[in-house]
Amino acid sequence: MTNPYTYATQQWREAFEAAEGAEWDEIDASEHGGEVARLVAVLYTTDLVDKDEGRLYAAITVAGDEADVFNQEFLEKVLNSYRGESEDNLNKVATDYIEETWPGFPIEAITSLEEFANKYAIRETEACAPDQHGGTLHYFDTNKW
Protein backbone atom coordinates (compact mmCIF):
# COMPACT_ATOMS: atom_id res chain seq x y z
CA MET A 1 0.00 0.00 0.00
CA THR A 2 1.27 3.44 -0.94
CA ASN A 3 1.84 5.94 1.85
CA PRO A 4 -0.11 9.11 0.90
CA TYR A 5 1.85 11.49 3.14
CA THR A 6 4.39 13.94 1.78
CA TYR A 7 7.83 14.46 3.25
CA ALA A 8 10.47 17.13 2.70
CA THR A 9 13.55 16.22 0.68
CA GLN A 10 15.69 16.41 3.80
CA GLN A 11 13.42 13.88 5.53
CA TRP A 12 13.82 11.51 2.57
CA ARG A 13 17.63 11.93 2.72
CA GLU A 14 17.71 11.27 6.46
CA ALA A 15 15.44 8.26 5.93
CA PHE A 16 17.82 6.99 3.25
CA GLU A 17 20.72 7.23 5.70
CA ALA A 18 18.70 5.48 8.43
CA ALA A 19 17.64 2.67 6.08
CA GLU A 20 21.19 2.28 4.79
CA GLY A 21 22.46 2.18 8.38
CA ALA A 22 19.88 -0.51 9.13
CA GLU A 23 21.22 -2.49 6.16
CA TRP A 24 17.89 -1.99 4.38
CA ASP A 25 15.92 -3.99 6.94
CA GLU A 26 12.50 -2.32 7.07
CA ILE A 27 11.89 -3.04 10.77
CA ASP A 28 15.30 -1.77 11.87
CA ALA A 29 14.98 1.22 9.53
CA SER A 30 11.61 2.05 11.06
CA GLU A 31 13.06 1.87 14.58
CA HIS A 32 15.97 4.16 13.65
CA GLY A 33 14.31 6.56 11.23
CA GLY A 34 10.55 6.22 11.49
CA GLU A 35 7.95 5.51 8.84
CA VAL A 36 9.70 7.26 5.99
CA ALA A 37 12.89 5.23 6.63
CA ARG A 38 10.77 2.07 6.48
CA LEU A 39 9.38 3.25 3.12
CA VAL A 40 12.88 3.81 1.78
CA ALA A 41 13.97 0.35 2.95
CA VAL A 42 10.93 -1.21 1.26
CA LEU A 43 11.58 0.70 -1.98
CA TYR A 44 15.19 -0.51 -1.94
CA THR A 45 14.01 -4.10 -2.36
CA THR A 46 11.48 -3.43 -5.13
CA ASP A 47 12.08 -3.99 -8.84
CA LEU A 48 12.11 -0.20 -9.26
CA VAL A 49 15.38 0.04 -7.36
CA ASP A 50 16.69 -3.52 -7.64
CA LYS A 51 18.90 -3.01 -4.56
CA ASP A 52 20.82 -0.19 -6.26
CA GLU A 53 21.28 2.35 -3.48
CA GLY A 54 22.86 4.86 -5.86
CA ARG A 55 19.77 4.82 -8.06
CA LEU A 56 17.51 5.30 -5.02
CA TYR A 57 19.61 8.18 -3.71
CA ALA A 58 19.66 9.85 -7.14
CA ALA A 59 15.88 9.46 -7.47
CA ILE A 60 15.40 11.17 -4.09
CA THR A 61 17.65 14.00 -5.30
CA VAL A 62 15.79 14.35 -8.60
CA ALA A 63 12.39 14.25 -6.88
CA GLY A 64 13.61 16.88 -4.41
CA ASP A 65 14.82 19.10 -7.25
CA GLU A 66 11.33 18.92 -8.75
CA ALA A 67 9.33 19.47 -5.54
CA ASP A 68 10.24 20.58 -2.02
CA VAL A 69 7.95 17.92 -0.58
CA PHE A 70 6.83 14.72 -2.25
CA ASN A 71 5.17 11.43 -1.45
CA GLN A 72 5.97 7.79 -2.08
CA GLU A 73 3.88 7.72 -5.25
CA PHE A 74 5.88 10.55 -6.83
CA LEU A 75 9.18 8.94 -5.84
CA GLU A 76 7.99 5.69 -7.41
CA LYS A 77 7.15 7.57 -10.64
CA VAL A 78 10.66 9.01 -10.71
CA LEU A 79 12.14 5.56 -10.08
CA ASN A 80 9.93 4.10 -12.81
CA SER A 81 11.33 6.62 -15.28
CA TYR A 82 14.91 5.39 -14.77
CA ARG A 83 16.87 5.49 -18.06
CA GLY A 84 20.31 4.34 -17.04
CA GLU A 85 23.58 5.51 -15.60
CA SER A 86 26.99 6.73 -16.64
CA GLU A 87 30.30 6.85 -14.85
CA ASP A 88 30.69 10.51 -15.75
CA ASN A 89 30.17 13.34 -13.33
CA LEU A 90 28.47 16.60 -14.32
CA ASN A 91 31.79 18.35 -14.89
CA LYS A 92 32.75 15.70 -17.46
CA VAL A 93 29.31 15.85 -19.09
CA ALA A 94 29.70 19.63 -19.49
CA THR A 95 33.29 19.38 -20.73
CA ASP A 96 32.40 16.70 -23.30
CA TYR A 97 29.42 18.74 -24.51
CA ILE A 98 31.53 21.89 -24.92
CA GLU A 99 34.32 20.03 -26.73
CA GLU A 100 31.84 18.35 -29.11
CA THR A 101 29.71 21.44 -29.73
CA TRP A 102 32.31 24.23 -29.70
CA PRO A 103 35.82 22.83 -30.25
CA GLY A 104 38.43 25.20 -28.86
CA PHE A 105 36.02 27.00 -26.55
CA PRO A 106 37.83 28.11 -23.36
CA ILE A 107 36.29 25.76 -20.81
CA GLU A 108 37.92 27.68 -17.97
CA ALA A 109 35.58 30.59 -18.84
CA ILE A 110 32.63 28.58 -17.48
CA THR A 111 32.13 29.50 -13.82
CA SER A 112 30.22 26.33 -12.90
CA LEU A 113 30.46 23.25 -15.09
CA GLU A 114 27.75 21.53 -13.05
CA GLU A 115 25.28 24.36 -13.68
CA PHE A 116 26.28 24.45 -17.35
CA ALA A 117 25.69 20.69 -17.68
CA ASN A 118 22.25 20.94 -16.12
CA LYS A 119 21.27 23.92 -18.24
CA TYR A 120 22.69 22.92 -21.64
CA ALA A 121 24.14 19.41 -21.81
CA ILE A 122 21.31 17.43 -20.22
CA ARG A 123 18.23 17.05 -22.44
CA GLU A 124 15.08 18.95 -21.43
CA THR A 125 13.20 15.69 -20.96
CA GLU A 126 15.89 14.26 -18.73
CA ALA A 127 16.90 14.75 -15.13
CA CYS A 128 20.02 13.34 -13.59
CA ALA A 129 21.72 13.21 -10.23
CA PRO A 130 24.80 11.54 -8.83
CA ASP A 131 24.76 8.71 -6.36
CA GLN A 132 25.45 9.40 -2.68
CA HIS A 133 29.20 9.25 -3.30
CA GLY A 134 29.10 11.87 -6.05
CA GLY A 135 30.20 9.43 -8.72
CA THR A 136 27.85 7.63 -11.08
CA LEU A 137 25.13 9.76 -12.66
CA HIS A 138 21.65 8.27 -12.83
CA TYR A 139 19.25 9.51 -15.54
CA PHE A 140 15.45 9.75 -15.36
CA ASP A 141 12.86 10.58 -18.04
CA THR A 142 10.84 13.60 -16.90
CA ASN A 143 8.09 12.84 -19.44
CA LYS A 144 7.00 9.96 -17.22
CA TRP A 145 6.16 12.20 -14.26
Side-chain angles (χ1 to χ4, degrees), residues 90 97 112-124:
L90 287 173
Y97 179 83
S112 171
L113 288 173
E114 287 185 7
E115 286 180 28
F116 182 91
N118 282 314
K119 188 168 185 178
Y120 301 106
I122 306 296
R123 288 180 269 184
E124 281 185 31

Side-chain angles (χ1 to χ4, degrees), residues 3-67:
N3 180 322
Y5 300 108
T6 59
Y7 303 97
T9 305
Q10 186 59 34
Q11 288 176 286
W12 284 104
R13 287 193 195 285
E14 290 168 1
F16 176 91
E17 291 173 12
E20 184 180 39
E23 297 180 0
W24 307 105
D25 179 83
E26 67 180 276
I27 294 169
D28 289 346
S30 179
E31 289 175 0
H32 291 81
E35 175 61 14
V36 69
R38 187 192 69 75
L39 290 174
V40 171
V42 169
L43 282 171
Y44 176 77
T45 61
T46 65
D47 291 341
L48 292 173
V49 176
D50 198 28
K51 295 186 178 180
D52 182 345
E53 60 191 65
R55 182 188 312 177
L56 180 55
Y57 185 88
I60 290 170
T61 300
V62 166
D65 289 346
E66 185 69 23

Side-chain angles (χ1 to χ4, degrees), residues 28-139:
D28 289 346
S30 179
E31 289 175 0
H32 291 81
E35 175 61 14
V36 69
R38 187 192 69 75
L39 290 174
V40 171
V42 169
L43 282 171
Y44 176 77
T45 61
T46 65
D47 291 341
L48 292 173
V49 176
D50 198 28
K51 295 186 178 180
D52 182 345
E53 60 191 65
R55 182 188 312 177
L56 180 55
Y57 185 88
I60 290 170
T61 300
V62 166
D65 289 346
E66 185 69 23
D68 292 334
V69 296
F70 53 94
N71 62 15
Q72 178 185 352
E73 181 181 5
F74 183 69
L75 182 56
E76 287 175 355
K77 284 180 182 179
V78 172
L79 285 163
N80 198 37
S81 74
Y82 183 67
R83 294 186 64 179
E85 64 184 53
S86 75
E87 294 299 319
D88 296 336
N89 62 34
L90 287 173
N91 289 342
K92 176 135 177 51
V93 169
T95 302
D96 289 349
Y97 179 83
I98 292 167
E99 289 174 350
E100 290 172 17
T101 308
W102 305 296
F105 185 88
I107 293 172
E108 62 278 357
I110 305 295
T111 56
S112 171
L113 288 173
E114 287 185 7
E115 286 180 28
F116 182 91
N118 282 314
K119 188 168 185 178
Y120 301 106
I122 306 296
R123 288 180 269 184
E124 281 185 31
T125 60
E126 202 167 55
C128 74
D131 62 19
Q132 69 274 31
H133 305 294
T136 303
L137 285 176
H138 296 269
Y139 294 86

